[in-house]
Amino acid sequence: MIKKYIYGTPFDTEATVIDIEKTEGSPEYGNISCENKFCFEYEMSEKDMVFGLGESNRGINKRGYYYISNCTDDPQHTEHKSSFYGAHNFIVISGEKNFGIFIDYPSSICFDIGYTHSDKLSIICESCDLDFYVIYGESAYDIVKQFRKLIGRSYIPPKFAFGFAQSRWGYKTKEDYREVAREYRKHHIPIDMIYMDIDYMEDFKDFTFNKQNFSDFDEFVKEMKQYDYRLIPIIDAGVKIEKGYAIYEEGVENNYFCKKEDGTDFIAAVWPGYTHFPDVLNKEARKWFGSKYRILTEKGIEGFWNDMNEPAIFYTPEGIERIKNHMKKFVEKQPSKNDVWFMKDEMLYLANHSSDYASFYHNVDGQKIRHDKVHNLYGYNMTRAAAEGLNEIDSNRRYLLFSRSSYIGMHRYGGIWTGDNMSWWSHILLNIKMMPSLNMCGFLYIGADLGGFGGDTTRELLLRWLAFGIFTPIMRNHSADGTRRQECYQFEKVEELKQIIDVRYRLIPYIYSEYMKAALYDDMYFKPLAFVYAHDDIAKEIEDQLIIGNEVMIAPVYTQNAKGRSVYLPENMMMVKFLGDGSIQTEQYQKGYHYIAVALNEVVLFVREGKCIPVVDTAECVEKIDMQSMQLFGYQNSEYLLYDDDGITKQYTINCKLLKK
Ligand code: GLC
């Protein structure tokens, strides 16, 4: 059962797809006050656990910290951070009472979940214009399923998007891409995609190609296709200000860019230098920006990643003026310690400054809306622009699409990757914990930069991260310019990296089948143990093991020098170990704790009691997977319902096949 309470005049975010009638009065649980700010308060019982918040920091159980939904380009994902790139305002309180809350409010929200007072949940929004949904159900899992129906079917990518991908910020020339393509094939490491970061463009201008390196872009796309590679280019939010650049000229002429108070186009610096932001909250501007993706699809491109769409602001002319003024005062006197610190902070906070977000406007159906009031909708609508544009090109075709910034609702248009993580062991764990929370909020096509984006990776870190990445729908190795090269072939004993990625391809029929079932039935692909074993007090607290689909539990290794790890089995399970030589070892284990050895070139998963999973031979790319080589691993006399389809059209005919072991 879902109840909707309306406060003030909410902005229509289009996060939900089902109309729910307004309930009068106040929600059954907690207290709401609405003077100036909106405030919801609830007294948590000792046993209450709180799940949700999608792309957010810390644990699967969110209790014990505070989180702020405010889409932010911050590449330092340290433990004290309260905002990442997405804003996903859905939580489930599970314990004495079970209920979910979704706050459909597009500006900043603070969720204080037992941080200020350990027993108090308080949710604070700056204004009182919002939709407040309360979802009642038997369990956390049941509440999530109801919520997922409310927000509509998750995005479904083409099947090739489940292959492995290599990416790196810094590939510039065709030769850079050819080298990656050659090396992966030379070592027989399966791979389907190479991502193109900003350097393929001319001066970082969206929908252009670097003249020196990519004058014949379509020929290059064809060349790579011959070797079964798809190129996936990046599109950034900011449009470079440059006379003669068609996108810029059209945007200015038609008032498609966000405006300042005085009606001039808002200016912000991102990778290309000064840019304007397409007003993707304005229907016509959204249609216009979305139609530009055709420039690349006409050249054979089948997928995109949308970036910098919080939108990220490095600085604005106003910010530079502010700094100059401070600087003038600073040089005129002998600066004190406080003056120095002040200057340091001013420089640091030049980027993504709150005053900049409060200085530009959107035109929504003729109404002027200040950006900070709807800040969390920008990445969502940029990706919606792309999805709608791609749908215009071919409404029956799936394109690969994901975004950095998002809000609930965007999950219908694309996936997300979790942005600029670091080559840190703790970030494998963060990756593990974030996945089920994202699924709760509808985001299914998800993954992190494997190996870590910032900092220098190590062979061991990459191997362990890839071994977890096998199970994330997006399996992409991506890293920042200037860091240690981390393509798999850069490391010694490259065959061991191949052996790990081989397992991904052996499991694609299962991964795809479970993804599709999750998407088609509004279910979760990643589940916390607490959802599946809700009555097992030990399982409920475990956050470094996950359920994948309906059959599998994983327990990734995420510590340096570990030869294995201790695993808790909440029921009898069958361990399936993929060994380096391609053979598979199985062993039944009793419910309880076990130490499981996992070598660097091995992948271990656990099949739940009475179940089995399909495994095929590995293949160089998704299209070459031989479904005839399929074998079932797991318990005798078990069955598996395999979903499969053509992988590219939107004809999701429920074509399930019952396989028997
Ligand atoms: C941002 C993205 C990163 C990309 C870089 C350059 O930091 O998050 O993935 O490589 O920009 O485009």
Side-chain angles (χ1 to χ4, degrees):
M1 189 191 34
I2 304 182
K3 287 190 179 173
K4 176 180 180 181
Y5 301 87
I6 303 177
Y7 296 91
T9 321
F11 183 88
D12 185 8
T13 66
E14 298 181 61
T16 60
V17 295
I18 297 175
D19 274 335
I20 302 223
E21 242 175 76
K22 176 181 172 180
T23 301
E24 297 297 338
S26 308
E28 223 168 296
Y29 307 136
N31 288 315
I32 287 182
S33 63
C34 241
E35 291 141 31
N36 299 325
K37 289 181 180 192
F38 173 92
C39 182
F40 170 83
E41 288 201 331
Y42 177 73
E43 202 69 43
M44 295 185 285
S45 77
E46 205 187 317
K47 281 199 166 162
D48 281 350
M49 298 172 84
V50 180
F51 302 103
L53 295 182
E55 189 178 10
S56 57
N57 215 344
R58 301 215 173 192
I60 292 179
N61 180 356
K62 303 305 258 193
R63 193 164 173 170
Y65 203 58
Y66 70 97
Y67 313 85
I68 299 174
S69 288
N70 181 40
C71 298
T72 306
D73 169 29
D74 179 349
Q76 295 294 323
H77 307 171
T78 41
E79 220 176 288
H80 67 294
K81 294 295 168 68
S82 46
S83 304
F84 289 154
Y85 310 89
H88 308 139
N89 310 324
F90 171 57
I91 56 169
V92 175
I93 294 97
S94 173
E96 206 157 272
K97 306 204 169 56
N98 288 307
F99 63 104
I101 293 174
F102 171 49
I103 307 209
D104 194 3
Y105 175 72
S107 187
S108 175
I109 309 184
C110 179
F111 292 84
D112 180 335
I113 310 180
Y115 168 76
T116 306
H117 303 287
S118 55
D119 290 338
K120 202 179 258 175
L121 161 69
S122 50
I123 306 174
I124 297 163
C125 308
E126 288 303 308
S127 92
C128 278
D129 299 306
L130 53 93
D131 289 330
F132 188 85
Y133 292 85
V134 184
I135 303 139
Y136 301 91
E138 280 164 19
S139 62
Y141 189 23
D142 169 47
I143 290 162
V144 170
K145 286 199 234 170
Q146 293 185 53
F147 176 64
R148 292 278 305 282
K149 283 211 165 57
L150 174 68
I151 58 174
R153 179 181 285 176
S154 299
Y155 159 76
I156 296 179
K159 199 174 185 180
F160 72 77
F162 289 85
F164 172 68
Q166 183 61 54
S167 181
R168 182 172 172 85
W169 173 19
Y171 298 152
K172 288 193 171 59
T173 64
K174 280 186 199 154
E175 205 33 55
D176 291 339
Y177 289 93
R178 286 188 185 122
E179 182 189 311
V180 177
R182 248 192 334 259
E183 289 291 326
Y184 271 98
R185 292 286 178 245
K186 185 171 107 197
H187 296 286
H188 302 289
I189 305 172
I191 180 166
D192 273 79
M193 292 157 285
I194 307 181
Y195 278 71
M196 304 187 90
D197 211 315
I198 47 176
D199 293 295
Y200 79 88
M201 301 180 209
E202 182 71 22
D203 296 332
F204 312 133
K205 285 181 288 191
D206 281 338
F207 312 112
T208 68
F209 309 96
N210 182 286
K211 286 191 206 82
Q212 203 186 338
N213 297 314
F214 293 106
S215 53
D216 51 352
F217 192 78
D218 33 2
E219 283 308 310
F220 187 56
V221 174
K222 268 193 221 137
E223 176 189 323
M224 297 305 270
K225 236 357 197 329
Q226 263 180 13
Y227 303 101
D228 295 309
Y229 281 101
R230 278 161 166 112
L231 294 171
I232 313 293
I234 197 169
I235 302 291
D236 280 356
V239 169
K240 185 172 167 62
I241 299 175
E242 188 183 283
K243 281 250 163 313
Y245 165 38
I247 314 281
Y248 161 78
E249 302 268 358
E250 284 172 29
V252 170
E253 208 176 291
N254 296 294
N255 293 312
Y256 288 154
F257 293 128
C258 294
K259 304 260 185 211
K260 291 203 292 198
E261 174 85 76
D262 64 6
T264 58
D265 291 326
F266 174 70
I267 298 172
V270 208
W271 298 124
Y274 279 135
T275 68
H276 292 322
F277 291 145
D279 185 358
V280 285
L281 269 70
N282 167 334
K283 283 190 196 104
E284 278 101 63
R286 187 163 68 230
K287 194 167 172 24
W288 164 74
F289 194 73
S291 73
K292 298 298 170 197
Y293 286 75
R294 189 187 282 268
I295 295 172
L296 286 117
T297 60
E298 279 177 346
K299 296 195 181 294
I301 291 299
E302 296 168 75
F304 299 90
W305 50 312
N306 282 344
D307 193 19
M308 309 304 280
N309 51 7
E310 293 67 34
I313 296 178
F314 293 168
Y315 53 90
T316 57
E318 293 78 11
I320 296 286
E321 273 316 302
R322 198 175 54 236
I323 294 278
K324 278 189 188 164
N325 286 333
H326 292 316
M327 195 67 94
K328 234 184 261 158
K329 287 190 208 141
F330 189 78
V331 291
E332 274 164 9
K333 59 175 186 178
Q334 186 62 31
S336 68
K337 184 173 74 206
N338 284 350
D339 292 330
V340 174
W341 283 339
F342 174 79
M343 265 327 284
K344 184 178 90 357
D345 283 350
E346 278 296 297
M347 290 304 282
L348 206 63
Y349 300 125
L350 192 54
N352 308 319
H353 201 279
S354 54
S355 68
D356 288 329
Y357 289 118
S359 73
F360 67 97
Y361 294 81
H362 298 275
N363 170 359
V364 184
D365 299 324
Q367 246 195 307
K368 196 167 152 186
I369 312 265
R370 206 172 79 188
H371 175 79
D372 58 341
K373 309 280 178 208
V374 288
H375 173 69
N376 292 337
L377 300 180
Y378 194 88
Y380 164 15
N381 281 284
M382 180 196 174
T383 301
R384 180 175 172 184
E388 288 172 345
L390 294 167
N391 198 51
E392 285 284 309
I393 297 168
D394 186 346
S395 59
N396 191 30
R397 188 196 175 108
R398 303 181 220 171
Y399 288 90
L400 194 175
L401 182 62
F402 61 79
S403 172
R404 194 170 71 176
S405 186
S406 61
Y407 182 83
I408 291 176
M410 203 213 84
H411 69 285
R412 300 193 297 271
Y413 300 100
I416 56 170
W417 98 101
T418 57
D420 299 347
N421 58 12
M422 297 287 288
S423 297
W424 294 342
W425 289 94
S426 60
H427 277 184
I428 303 186
L429 188 56
L430 184 61
N431 185 186
I432 296 168
K433 292 183 184 188
M434 216 186 261
M435 297 291 104
S437 310
L438 279 168
N439 276 193
M440 288 177 68
C441 299
F443 295 91
L444 293 187
Y445 191 62
I446 50 177
D449 288 347
L450 302 175
F453 175 76
D456 291 332
T457 201
T458 66
R459 179 177 183 274
E460 186 189 1
L461 176 73
L462 177 60
L463 274 160
R464 291 303 196 195
W465 212 332
L466 287 170
F468 169 62
I470 283 174
F471 300 97
T472 61
I474 299 177
M475 189 189 185
R476 183 180 75 146
N477 174 340
H478 179 52
S479 54
D481 203 5
T483 60
R484 180 184 189 177
R485 295 293 294 249
Q486 67 183 44
E487 297 86 359
C488 296
Y489 53 82
Q490 304 285 0
F491 298 92
E492 62 200 350
K493 287 195 261 169
V494 51
E495 67 282 1
E496 296 201 337
L497 292 107
K498 166 190 155 52
Q499 286 153 8
I500 295 291
I501 298 174
D502 274 346
V503 179
R504 165 66 166 217
Y505 282 70
R506 301 191 71 181
L507 288 172
I508 281 180
Y510 179 71
I511 291 169
Y512 186 67
S513 169
E514 291 306 304
Y515 182 97
M516 291 302 292
K517 286 187 221 165
L520 297 174
Y521 300 119
D522 302 317
D523 205 336
M524 296 169 75
Y525 166 88
F526 289 108
K527 288 182 272 263
L529 266 53
F531 280 26
V532 181
Y533 305 98
H535 302 294
D536 179 333
D537 285 340
I538 299 174
K540 271 162 66 176
E541 288 184 7
I542 292 181
E543 302 206 341
D544 61 354
Q545 302 178 196
L546 296 175
I547 301 294
I548 307 285
N550 290 306
E551 283 73 17
V552 167
M553 184 187 80
I554 58 165
V557 177
Y558 55 89
T559 37
Q560 186 168 299
N561 295 314
K563 304 275 180 286
R565 59 164 286 183
S566 164
V567 180
Y568 176 69
L569 305 186
E571 58 178 312
N572 296 341
M573 289 188 176
M574 186 179 287
M575 181 193 72
V576 176
K577 189 185 260 188
F578 294 83
L579 301 171
D581 64 6
S583 64
I584 294 175
Q585 183 194 326
T586 59
E587 194 175 337
Q588 291 199 33
Y589 281 89
Q590 299 288 312
K591 174 179 158 89
Y593 284 102
H594 301 274
Y595 180 84
I596 305 289
V598 191
L600 281 178
N601 63 341
E602 291 173 351
V603 176
V604 166
L605 58 82
F606 299 88
V607 175
R608 295 176 60 194
E609 190 162 32
K611 298 180 188 284
C612 64
I613 57 161
V615 178
V616 289
D617 289 350
T618 192
E620 281 207 334
C621 61
V622 170
E623 272 161 25
K624 290 193 177 156
I625 289 175
D626 175 11
M627 295 295 268
Q628 301 305 317
S629 67
M630 188 178 293
Q631 283 177 283
L632 296 175
F633 285 84
Y635 289 86
Q636 283 306 326
N637 303 319
S638 56
E639 293 175 344
Y640 179 69
L641 200 59
L642 180 79
Y643 175 94
D644 202 8
D645 59 20
D646 66 18
I648 195 79
T649 71
K650 292 182 183 168
Q651 283 358 105
Y652 313 119
T653 40
I654 308 293
N655 186 14
C656 283
K657 215 157 83 192
L658 193 65
L659 308 174
K660 294 191 179 173
K661 181 161 166 67

